[in-house]
Amino acid sequence: MTQELIETVTVVRPGKSLVVAIDGPSGSGKSSVSKEVARRLKLAYLDTGAMYRALTWFCLQNGTDLEDRAAVEAASKALPLEVSTSPQEEYVRVGGDDVTLAIREPAISAAVSAVATTLGARTELIRRQRELIEKHHRRMVVEGRDITTVVAPGAEVRMLLTASEEARLRRRGIQLGGSQNAEQLAAQVTRRDAKDSTVVNFTTAADGVVTLDSSDLDFDETVQAALDIVDTVINHPAVKPSVVQPNSVQHRAAHVD
């Protein structure tokens, strides 16, 4: 979407809080969809997964033993992190170094679960995530794995963005430009999810969380379905959407009751 089009979008709930919490497994499209939803709604945007990746990069750079829980927790508290909260700009900096691309490398993907399952480190990063939400006056799209249940359980809109394993593997392969073979893709998607699920549930929607199944939706359709969920939840409280499936009428949350 061009900047000109973005500027024509009416601000939703001006002057009031609007936190849109989006969880989901790897390859479900959380980041790209969440970022576009934030652009369209003129909200701040936070990729919490990038924070865990940045901490992993920091630990590896400093020679921190990822199996040493106390050391990883200490690293999380010392992490000199700057992360973009604008959907218009993506950057992640550690100690002034731009690691935006480095944290997406396969080596980080292979190691991040060890960091993400360290409860002390999670506690510290969750604290920082909540601070960022408050800093932006609770007007933010926040995406990750435990946003709807732990980071922002009181968010005005909560949704679980999911997709079939086949769709998720295909999307992650496209995202990585075909640079990974089937084994590497499986390690980045399904195996990482299995490890991370030992500390947080991001495959089943909690009470009050709307499930959006994007298996058979393209990007634009998924964004529209997510926007419809936001509209339904905040403007039509009598309608209580629970599951939005690929073949629902016009993929609109408003048609689910």
mmCIF file of all heavy atoms in Angstrom, residues 28-76:
data_model
loop_
_atom_site.group_PDB
_atom_site.id
_atom_site.type_symbol
_atom_site.label_atom_id
_atom_site.label_comp_id
_atom_site.label_asym_id
_atom_site.label_seq_id
_atom_site.Cartn_x
_atom_site.Cartn_y
_atom_site.Cartn_z
ATOM 1 N N SER A 28 2.805 -18.802 9.734
ATOM 2 C CA SER A 28 1.374 -18.525 9.589
ATOM 3 C C SER A 28 1.115 -17.166 8.951
ATOM 4 O O SER A 28 -0.016 -16.851 8.598
ATOM 5 C CB SER A 28 0.671 -18.592 10.948
ATOM 6 O OG SER A 28 1.212 -17.635 11.842
ATOM 7 N N GLY A 29 2.162 -16.363 8.814
ATOM 8 C CA GLY A 29 2.020 -15.033 8.226
ATOM 9 C C GLY A 29 1.825 -13.936 9.241
ATOM 10 O O GLY A 29 1.426 -12.816 8.889
ATOM 11 N N LYS A 30 2.118 -14.220 10.520
ATOM 12 C CA LYS A 30 1.878 -13.243 11.598
ATOM 13 C C LYS A 30 2.530 -11.896 11.325
ATOM 14 O O LYS A 30 1.881 -10.862 11.424
ATOM 15 C CB LYS A 30 2.418 -13.771 12.937
ATOM 16 C CG LYS A 30 1.717 -14.937 13.518
ATOM 17 C CD LYS A 30 2.153 -15.166 14.958
ATOM 18 C CE LYS A 30 3.648 -15.244 15.136
ATOM 19 N NZ LYS A 30 4.257 -16.406 14.462
ATOM 20 N N SER A 31 3.817 -11.929 10.993
ATOM 21 C CA SER A 31 4.549 -10.668 10.880
ATOM 22 C C SER A 31 4.039 -9.805 9.739
ATOM 23 O O SER A 31 3.744 -8.617 9.919
ATOM 24 C CB SER A 31 6.049 -10.940 10.705
ATOM 25 O OG SER A 31 6.579 -11.552 11.856
ATOM 26 N N SER A 32 3.952 -10.375 8.542
ATOM 27 C CA SER A 32 3.537 -9.578 7.386
ATOM 28 C C SER A 32 2.092 -9.108 7.521
ATOM 29 O O SER A 32 1.776 -7.948 7.221
ATOM 30 C CB SER A 32 3.725 -10.380 6.096
ATOM 31 O OG SER A 32 3.041 -11.612 6.165
ATOM 32 N N VAL A 33 1.210 -9.983 7.996
ATOM 33 C CA VAL A 33 -0.188 -9.606 8.156
ATOM 34 C C VAL A 33 -0.343 -8.564 9.267
ATOM 35 O O VAL A 33 -1.035 -7.554 9.101
ATOM 36 C CB VAL A 33 -1.059 -10.846 8.460
ATOM 37 C CG1 VAL A 33 -2.473 -10.433 8.867
ATOM 38 C CG2 VAL A 33 -1.111 -11.758 7.238
ATOM 39 N N SER A 34 0.321 -8.786 10.395
ATOM 40 C CA SER A 34 0.223 -7.849 11.517
ATOM 41 C C SER A 34 0.740 -6.469 11.141
ATOM 42 O O SER A 34 0.151 -5.445 11.503
ATOM 43 C CB SER A 34 1.012 -8.384 12.722
ATOM 44 O OG SER A 34 0.478 -9.601 13.169
ATOM 45 N N LYS A 35 1.831 -6.450 10.402
ATOM 46 C CA LYS A 35 2.416 -5.168 9.989
ATOM 47 C C LYS A 35 1.458 -4.399 9.077
ATOM 48 O O LYS A 35 1.275 -3.192 9.227
ATOM 49 C CB LYS A 35 3.744 -5.413 9.273
ATOM 50 C CG LYS A 35 4.538 -4.152 8.988
ATOM 51 C CD LYS A 35 5.856 -4.465 8.305
ATOM 52 C CE LYS A 35 6.765 -5.284 9.184
ATOM 53 N NZ LYS A 35 8.087 -5.514 8.553
ATOM 54 N N GLU A 36 0.813 -5.120 8.157
ATOM 55 C CA GLU A 36 -0.118 -4.443 7.249
ATOM 56 C C GLU A 36 -1.374 -3.987 7.983
ATOM 57 O O GLU A 36 -1.907 -2.901 7.702
ATOM 58 C CB GLU A 36 -0.493 -5.367 6.092
ATOM 59 C CG GLU A 36 -1.406 -4.726 5.061
ATOM 60 C CD GLU A 36 -0.809 -3.493 4.389
ATOM 61 O OE1 GLU A 36 0.439 -3.320 4.391
ATOM 62 O OE2 GLU A 36 -1.600 -2.683 3.861
ATOM 63 N N VAL A 37 -1.838 -4.781 8.931
ATOM 64 C CA VAL A 37 -2.989 -4.374 9.737
ATOM 65 C C VAL A 37 -2.646 -3.099 10.512
ATOM 66 O O VAL A 37 -3.449 -2.166 10.589
ATOM 67 C CB VAL A 37 -3.417 -5.501 10.706
ATOM 68 C CG1 VAL A 37 -4.402 -4.985 11.754
ATOM 69 C CG2 VAL A 37 -4.042 -6.652 9.923
ATOM 70 N N ALA A 38 -1.437 -3.037 11.063
ATOM 71 C CA ALA A 38 -1.008 -1.837 11.790
ATOM 72 C C ALA A 38 -0.951 -0.627 10.861
ATOM 73 O O ALA A 38 -1.370 0.476 11.227
ATOM 74 C CB ALA A 38 0.357 -2.080 12.432
ATOM 75 N N ARG A 39 -0.450 -0.825 9.645
ATOM 76 C CA ARG A 39 -0.409 0.272 8.674
ATOM 77 C C ARG A 39 -1.817 0.787 8.382
ATOM 78 O O ARG A 39 -2.064 1.994 8.373
ATOM 79 C CB ARG A 39 0.229 -0.202 7.354
ATOM 80 C CG ARG A 39 1.723 -0.428 7.381
ATOM 81 C CD ARG A 39 2.230 -0.614 5.963
ATOM 82 N NE ARG A 39 3.640 -1.010 5.929
ATOM 83 C CZ ARG A 39 4.068 -2.220 5.645
ATOM 84 N NH1 ARG A 39 3.189 -3.172 5.366
ATOM 85 N NH2 ARG A 39 5.345 -2.503 5.623
ATOM 86 N N ARG A 40 -2.708 -0.158 8.150
ATOM 87 C CA ARG A 40 -4.062 0.226 7.746
ATOM 88 C C ARG A 40 -4.807 0.939 8.876
ATOM 89 O O ARG A 40 -5.613 1.829 8.628
ATOM 90 C CB ARG A 40 -4.842 -1.025 7.315
ATOM 91 C CG ARG A 40 -4.295 -1.704 6.072
ATOM 92 C CD ARG A 40 -4.737 -1.030 4.799
ATOM 93 N NE ARG A 40 -6.155 -1.167 4.579
ATOM 94 C CZ ARG A 40 -6.737 -2.197 3.954
ATOM 95 N NH1 ARG A 40 -5.999 -3.192 3.481
ATOM 96 N NH2 ARG A 40 -8.039 -2.234 3.787
ATOM 97 N N LEU A 41 -4.543 0.530 10.114
ATOM 98 C CA LEU A 41 -5.242 1.108 11.260
ATOM 99 C C LEU A 41 -4.478 2.265 11.895
ATOM 100 O O LEU A 41 -4.931 2.850 12.876
ATOM 101 C CB LEU A 41 -5.503 0.023 12.309
ATOM 102 C CG LEU A 41 -6.405 -1.131 11.873
ATOM 103 C CD1 LEU A 41 -6.534 -2.161 13.000
ATOM 104 C CD2 LEU A 41 -7.775 -0.632 11.452
ATOM 105 N N LYS A 42 -3.321 2.583 11.333
ATOM 106 C CA LYS A 42 -2.467 3.646 11.869
ATOM 107 C C LYS A 42 -2.111 3.395 13.335
ATOM 108 O O LYS A 42 -2.232 4.283 14.189
ATOM 109 C CB LYS A 42 -3.138 5.018 11.698
ATOM 110 C CG LYS A 42 -3.264 5.459 10.256
ATOM 111 C CD LYS A 42 -3.784 6.881 10.146
ATOM 112 C CE LYS A 42 -3.833 7.335 8.697
ATOM 113 N NZ LYS A 42 -4.336 8.727 8.569
ATOM 114 N N LEU A 43 -1.666 2.192 13.594
ATOM 115 C CA LEU A 43 -1.229 1.804 14.935
ATOM 116 C C LEU A 43 0.262 1.504 14.915
ATOM 117 O O LEU A 43 0.851 1.256 13.859
ATOM 118 C CB LEU A 43 -1.993 0.553 15.401
ATOM 119 C CG LEU A 43 -3.516 0.662 15.501
ATOM 120 C CD1 LEU A 43 -4.110 -0.694 15.864
ATOM 121 C CD2 LEU A 43 -3.915 1.715 16.526
ATOM 122 N N ALA A 44 0.868 1.537 16.094
ATOM 123 C CA ALA A 44 2.251 1.090 16.216
ATOM 124 C C ALA A 44 2.274 -0.426 16.011
ATOM 125 O O ALA A 44 1.233 -1.092 16.026
ATOM 126 C CB ALA A 44 2.804 1.464 17.586
ATOM 127 N N TYR A 45 3.467 -0.974 15.818
ATOM 128 C CA TYR A 45 3.596 -2.404 15.518
ATOM 129 C C TYR A 45 4.798 -2.969 16.265
ATOM 130 O O TYR A 45 5.863 -2.355 16.299
ATOM 131 C CB TYR A 45 3.777 -2.607 14.015
ATOM 132 C CG TYR A 45 4.326 -3.961 13.634
ATOM 133 C CD1 TYR A 45 3.541 -5.104 13.702
ATOM 134 C CD2 TYR A 45 5.653 -4.102 13.223
ATOM 135 C CE1 TYR A 45 4.042 -6.346 13.364
ATOM 136 C CE2 TYR A 45 6.168 -5.330 12.877
ATOM 137 C CZ TYR A 45 5.360 -6.459 12.943
ATOM 138 O OH TYR A 45 5.875 -7.686 12.621
ATOM 139 N N LEU A 46 4.618 -4.149 16.851
ATOM 140 C CA LEU A 46 5.720 -4.783 17.566
ATOM 141 C C LEU A 46 5.810 -6.257 17.210
ATOM 142 O O LEU A 46 4.859 -7.013 17.407
ATOM 143 C CB LEU A 46 5.542 -4.634 19.078
ATOM 144 C CG LEU A 46 6.655 -5.268 19.937
ATOM 145 C CD1 LEU A 46 8.003 -4.608 19.642
ATOM 146 C CD2 LEU A 46 6.310 -5.138 21.420
ATOM 147 N N ASP A 47 6.970 -6.634 16.693
ATOM 148 C CA ASP A 47 7.289 -8.030 16.398
ATOM 149 C C ASP A 47 8.070 -8.575 17.595
ATOM 150 O O ASP A 47 9.273 -8.357 17.720
ATOM 151 C CB ASP A 47 8.131 -8.092 15.124
ATOM 152 C CG ASP A 47 8.619 -9.504 14.789
ATOM 153 O OD1 ASP A 47 8.322 -10.445 15.551
ATOM 154 O OD2 ASP A 47 9.311 -9.652 13.769
ATOM 155 N N THR A 48 7.384 -9.275 18.485
ATOM 156 C CA THR A 48 8.061 -9.756 19.698
ATOM 157 C C THR A 48 9.043 -10.868 19.380
ATOM 158 O O THR A 48 10.024 -11.054 20.107
ATOM 159 C CB THR A 48 7.045 -10.255 20.743
ATOM 160 O OG1 THR A 48 6.332 -11.386 20.224
ATOM 161 C CG2 THR A 48 6.059 -9.153 21.107
ATOM 162 N N GLY A 49 8.796 -11.597 18.303
ATOM 163 C CA GLY A 49 9.729 -12.655 17.924
ATOM 164 C C GLY A 49 11.108 -12.101 17.610
ATOM 165 O O GLY A 49 12.133 -12.753 17.885
ATOM 166 N N ALA A 50 11.153 -10.894 17.041
ATOM 167 C CA ALA A 50 12.436 -10.265 16.725
ATOM 168 C C ALA A 50 13.232 -9.999 18.000
ATOM 169 O O ALA A 50 14.472 -10.029 17.994
ATOM 170 C CB ALA A 50 12.215 -8.963 15.965
ATOM 171 N N MET A 51 12.530 -9.759 19.102
ATOM 172 C CA MET A 51 13.212 -9.505 20.370
ATOM 173 C C MET A 51 13.908 -10.776 20.868
ATOM 174 O O MET A 51 15.032 -10.719 21.373
ATOM 175 C CB MET A 51 12.216 -8.980 21.395
ATOM 176 C CG MET A 51 11.575 -7.661 20.988
ATOM 177 S SD MET A 51 10.282 -7.087 22.123
ATOM 178 C CE MET A 51 11.258 -6.580 23.538
ATOM 179 N N TYR A 52 13.241 -11.919 20.724
ATOM 180 C CA TYR A 52 13.866 -13.180 21.122
ATOM 181 C C TYR A 52 15.035 -13.525 20.210
ATOM 182 O O TYR A 52 16.067 -14.048 20.669
ATOM 183 C CB TYR A 52 12.828 -14.310 21.112
ATOM 184 C CG TYR A 52 11.849 -14.210 22.253
ATOM 185 C CD1 TYR A 52 10.594 -13.631 22.067
ATOM 186 C CD2 TYR A 52 12.183 -14.660 23.525
ATOM 187 C CE1 TYR A 52 9.697 -13.508 23.118
ATOM 188 C CE2 TYR A 52 11.290 -14.539 24.582
ATOM 189 C CZ TYR A 52 10.052 -13.967 24.368
ATOM 190 O OH TYR A 52 9.173 -13.839 25.422
ATOM 191 N N ARG A 53 14.895 -13.225 18.941
ATOM 192 C CA ARG A 53 15.986 -13.460 18.005
ATOM 193 C C ARG A 53 17.183 -12.550 18.329
ATOM 194 O O ARG A 53 18.343 -12.977 18.242
ATOM 195 C CB ARG A 53 15.514 -13.224 16.571
ATOM 196 C CG ARG A 53 14.606 -14.337 16.045
ATOM 197 C CD ARG A 53 14.064 -14.009 14.659
ATOM 198 N NE ARG A 53 13.347 -15.142 14.098
ATOM 199 C CZ ARG A 53 13.910 -16.118 13.383
ATOM 200 N NH1 ARG A 53 15.214 -16.071 13.130
ATOM 201 N NH2 ARG A 53 13.200 -17.116 12.918
ATOM 202 N N ALA A 54 16.889 -11.303 18.678
ATOM 203 C CA ALA A 54 17.972 -10.373 19.016
ATOM 204 C C ALA A 54 18.719 -10.843 20.264
ATOM 205 O O ALA A 54 19.953 -10.759 20.334
ATOM 206 C CB ALA A 54 17.403 -8.978 19.237
ATOM 207 N N LEU A 55 17.969 -11.340 21.236
ATOM 208 C CA LEU A 55 18.614 -11.863 22.441
ATOM 209 C C LEU A 55 19.469 -13.082 22.109
ATOM 210 O O LEU A 55 20.571 -13.243 22.652
ATOM 211 C CB LEU A 55 17.558 -12.221 23.484
ATOM 212 C CG LEU A 55 18.078 -12.881 24.770
ATOM 213 C CD1 LEU A 55 19.131 -12.011 25.449
ATOM 214 C CD2 LEU A 55 16.912 -13.168 25.724
ATOM 215 N N THR A 56 18.985 -13.932 21.204
ATOM 216 C CA THR A 56 19.769 -15.100 20.784
ATOM 217 C C THR A 56 21.061 -14.657 20.125
ATOM 218 O O THR A 56 22.140 -15.196 20.411
ATOM 219 C CB THR A 56 18.938 -15.959 19.805
ATOM 220 O OG1 THR A 56 17.707 -16.331 20.423
ATOM 221 C CG2 THR A 56 19.698 -17.211 19.410
ATOM 222 N N TRP A 57 20.968 -13.677 19.234
ATOM 223 C CA TRP A 57 22.169 -13.135 18.575
ATOM 224 C C TRP A 57 23.143 -12.597 19.615
ATOM 225 O O TRP A 57 24.348 -12.856 19.546
ATOM 226 C CB TRP A 57 21.762 -12.026 17.607
ATOM 227 C CG TRP A 57 22.891 -11.426 16.824
ATOM 228 C CD1 TRP A 57 23.362 -11.833 15.608
ATOM 229 C CD2 TRP A 57 23.708 -10.310 17.228
ATOM 230 N NE1 TRP A 57 24.423 -11.048 15.218
ATOM 231 C CE2 TRP A 57 24.650 -10.106 16.195
ATOM 232 C CE3 TRP A 57 23.732 -9.480 18.334
ATOM 233 C CZ2 TRP A 57 25.599 -9.088 16.256
ATOM 234 C CZ3 TRP A 57 24.678 -8.468 18.401
ATOM 235 C CH2 TRP A 57 25.599 -8.273 17.369
ATOM 236 N N PHE A 58 22.630 -11.860 20.580
ATOM 237 C CA PHE A 58 23.451 -11.267 21.642
ATOM 238 C C PHE A 58 24.160 -12.357 22.442
ATOM 239 O O PHE A 58 25.362 -12.244 22.732
ATOM 240 C CB PHE A 58 22.543 -10.440 22.545
ATOM 241 C CG PHE A 58 23.231 -9.689 23.648
ATOM 242 C CD1 PHE A 58 24.165 -8.698 23.371
ATOM 243 C CD2 PHE A 58 22.909 -9.948 24.979
ATOM 244 C CE1 PHE A 58 24.783 -7.988 24.395
ATOM 245 C CE2 PHE A 58 23.526 -9.251 26.003
ATOM 246 C CZ PHE A 58 24.464 -8.274 25.717
ATOM 247 N N CYS A 59 23.444 -13.411 22.777
ATOM 248 C CA CYS A 59 24.038 -14.511 23.544
ATOM 249 C C CYS A 59 25.143 -15.202 22.749
ATOM 250 O O CYS A 59 26.233 -15.486 23.280
ATOM 251 C CB CYS A 59 22.971 -15.534 23.925
ATOM 252 S SG CYS A 59 21.832 -14.996 25.220
ATOM 253 N N LEU A 60 24.883 -15.474 21.480
ATOM 254 C CA LEU A 60 25.884 -16.156 20.656
ATOM 255 C C LEU A 60 27.115 -15.281 20.447
ATOM 256 O O LEU A 60 28.250 -15.779 20.462
ATOM 257 C CB LEU A 60 25.269 -16.553 19.319
ATOM 258 C CG LEU A 60 24.160 -17.619 19.373
ATOM 259 C CD1 LEU A 60 23.596 -17.875 17.984
ATOM 260 C CD2 LEU A 60 24.694 -18.920 19.977
ATOM 261 N N GLN A 61 26.894 -13.992 20.265
ATOM 262 C CA GLN A 61 28.024 -13.071 20.080
ATOM 263 C C GLN A 61 28.912 -13.015 21.314
ATOM 264 O O GLN A 61 30.134 -12.870 21.214
ATOM 265 C CB GLN A 61 27.505 -11.663 19.773
ATOM 266 C CG GLN A 61 26.986 -11.477 18.374
ATOM 267 C CD GLN A 61 28.074 -11.555 17.318
ATOM 268 O OE1 GLN A 61 28.109 -12.496 16.524
ATOM 269 N NE2 GLN A 61 28.964 -10.588 17.311
ATOM 270 N N ASN A 62 28.292 -13.146 22.482
ATOM 271 C CA ASN A 62 29.041 -13.048 23.736
ATOM 272 C C ASN A 62 29.491 -14.396 24.284
ATOM 273 O O ASN A 62 30.056 -14.452 25.377
ATOM 274 C CB ASN A 62 28.182 -12.336 24.793
ATOM 275 C CG ASN A 62 27.950 -10.875 24.443
ATOM 276 O OD1 ASN A 62 28.755 -10.259 23.763
ATOM 277 N ND2 ASN A 62 26.827 -10.326 24.881
ATOM 278 N N GLY A 63 29.213 -15.451 23.545
ATOM 279 C CA GLY A 63 29.633 -16.775 23.988
ATOM 280 C C GLY A 63 28.829 -17.316 25.153
ATOM 281 O O GLY A 63 29.313 -18.172 25.905
ATOM 282 N N THR A 64 27.612 -16.843 25.329
ATOM 283 C CA THR A 64 26.756 -17.317 26.416
ATOM 284 C C THR A 64 26.282 -18.738 26.135
ATOM 285 O O THR A 64 25.822 -19.041 25.028
ATOM 286 C CB THR A 64 25.530 -16.403 26.579
ATOM 287 O OG1 THR A 64 25.987 -15.065 26.826
ATOM 288 C CG2 THR A 64 24.649 -16.863 27.737
ATOM 289 N N ASP A 65 26.405 -19.605 27.111
ATOM 290 C CA ASP A 65 25.927 -20.977 26.990
ATOM 291 C C ASP A 65 24.400 -20.960 27.030
ATOM 292 O O ASP A 65 23.799 -20.626 28.054
ATOM 293 C CB ASP A 65 26.485 -21.823 28.135
ATOM 294 C CG ASP A 65 26.045 -23.281 28.072
ATOM 295 O OD1 ASP A 65 25.279 -23.637 27.152
ATOM 296 O OD2 ASP A 65 26.457 -24.060 28.948
ATOM 297 N N LEU A 66 23.769 -21.335 25.928
ATOM 298 C CA LEU A 66 22.311 -21.257 25.851
ATOM 299 C C LEU A 66 21.619 -22.278 26.745
ATOM 300 O O LEU A 66 20.413 -22.162 26.997
ATOM 301 C CB LEU A 66 21.847 -21.445 24.405
ATOM 302 C CG LEU A 66 22.350 -20.412 23.392
ATOM 303 C CD1 LEU A 66 21.697 -20.637 22.037
ATOM 304 C CD2 LEU A 66 22.099 -18.996 23.879
ATOM 305 N N GLU A 67 22.364 -23.246 27.230
ATOM 306 C CA GLU A 67 21.792 -24.227 28.157
ATOM 307 C C GLU A 67 21.858 -23.745 29.601
ATOM 308 O O GLU A 67 21.269 -24.343 30.492
ATOM 309 C CB GLU A 67 22.518 -25.564 28.017
ATOM 310 C CG GLU A 67 22.416 -26.185 26.632
ATOM 311 C CD GLU A 67 20.974 -26.411 26.213
ATOM 312 O OE1 GLU A 67 20.173 -26.883 27.049
ATOM 313 O OE2 GLU A 67 20.633 -26.109 25.049
ATOM 314 N N ASP A 68 22.600 -22.655 29.817
ATOM 315 C CA ASP A 68 22.749 -22.082 31.159
ATOM 316 C C ASP A 68 21.628 -21.056 31.348
ATOM 317 O O ASP A 68 21.726 -19.905 30.918
ATOM 318 C CB ASP A 68 24.119 -21.414 31.294
ATOM 319 C CG ASP A 68 24.396 -20.895 32.704
ATOM 320 O OD1 ASP A 68 23.421 -20.644 33.445
ATOM 321 O OD2 ASP A 68 25.573 -20.712 33.043
ATOM 322 N N ARG A 69 20.550 -21.478 31.983
ATOM 323 C CA ARG A 69 19.368 -20.629 32.119
ATOM 324 C C ARG A 69 19.666 -19.315 32.833
ATOM 325 O O ARG A 69 19.168 -18.249 32.458
ATOM 326 C CB ARG A 69 18.274 -21.390 32.876
ATOM 327 C CG ARG A 69 17.884 -22.721 32.237
ATOM 328 C CD ARG A 69 17.135 -22.494 30.947
ATOM 329 N NE ARG A 69 16.661 -23.743 30.368
ATOM 330 C CZ ARG A 69 15.920 -23.832 29.266
ATOM 331 N NH1 ARG A 69 15.578 -22.730 28.635
ATOM 332 N NH2 ARG A 69 15.532 -24.992 28.792
ATOM 333 N N ALA A 70 20.471 -19.384 33.869
ATOM 334 C CA ALA A 70 20.799 -18.170 34.624
ATOM 335 C C ALA A 70 21.576 -17.186 33.759
ATOM 336 O O ALA A 70 21.358 -15.966 33.823
ATOM 337 C CB ALA A 70 21.591 -18.529 35.872
ATOM 338 N N ALA A 71 22.487 -17.718 32.932
ATOM 339 C CA ALA A 71 23.297 -16.859 32.068
ATOM 340 C C ALA A 71 22.429 -16.209 30.994
ATOM 341 O O ALA A 71 22.604 -15.025 30.664
ATOM 342 C CB ALA A 71 24.416 -17.671 31.425
ATOM 343 N N VAL A 72 21.485 -16.958 30.443
ATOM 344 C CA VAL A 72 20.593 -16.405 29.423
ATOM 345 C C VAL A 72 19.689 -15.342 30.037
ATOM 346 O O VAL A 72 19.450 -14.286 29.434
ATOM 347 C CB VAL A 72 19.758 -17.524 28.764
ATOM 348 C CG1 VAL A 72 18.706 -16.920 27.828
ATOM 349 C CG2 VAL A 72 20.657 -18.482 27.991
ATOM 350 N N GLU A 73 19.201 -15.587 31.237
ATOM 351 C CA GLU A 73 18.379 -14.593 31.914
ATOM 352 C C GLU A 73 19.173 -13.312 32.166
ATOM 353 O O GLU A 73 18.669 -12.199 31.957
ATOM 354 C CB GLU A 73 17.848 -15.141 33.233
ATOM 355 C CG GLU A 73 16.989 -14.138 33.984
ATOM 356 C CD GLU A 73 16.431 -14.691 35.291
ATOM 357 O OE1 GLU A 73 16.584 -15.897 35.555
ATOM 358 O OE2 GLU A 73 15.842 -13.895 36.051
ATOM 359 N N ALA A 74 20.410 -13.466 32.611
ATOM 360 C CA ALA A 74 21.260 -12.301 32.852
ATOM 361 C C ALA A 74 21.493 -11.524 31.556
ATOM 362 O O ALA A 74 21.473 -10.286 31.540
ATOM 363 C CB ALA A 74 22.594 -12.739 33.454
ATOM 364 N N ALA A 75 21.676 -12.262 30.456
ATOM 365 C CA ALA A 75 21.882 -11.616 29.162
ATOM 366 C C ALA A 75 20.641 -10.834 28.744
ATOM 367 O O ALA A 75 20.745 -9.745 28.166
ATOM 368 C CB ALA A 75 22.232 -12.668 28.111
ATOM 369 N N SER A 76 19.473 -11.378 29.058
ATOM 370 C CA SER A 76 18.231 -10.685 28.686
ATOM 371 C C SER A 76 18.115 -9.339 29.398
ATOM 372 O O SER A 76 17.604 -8.368 28.833
ATOM 373 C CB SER A 76 17.014 -11.565 29.004
ATOM 374 O OG SER A 76 16.766 -11.644 30.396
#
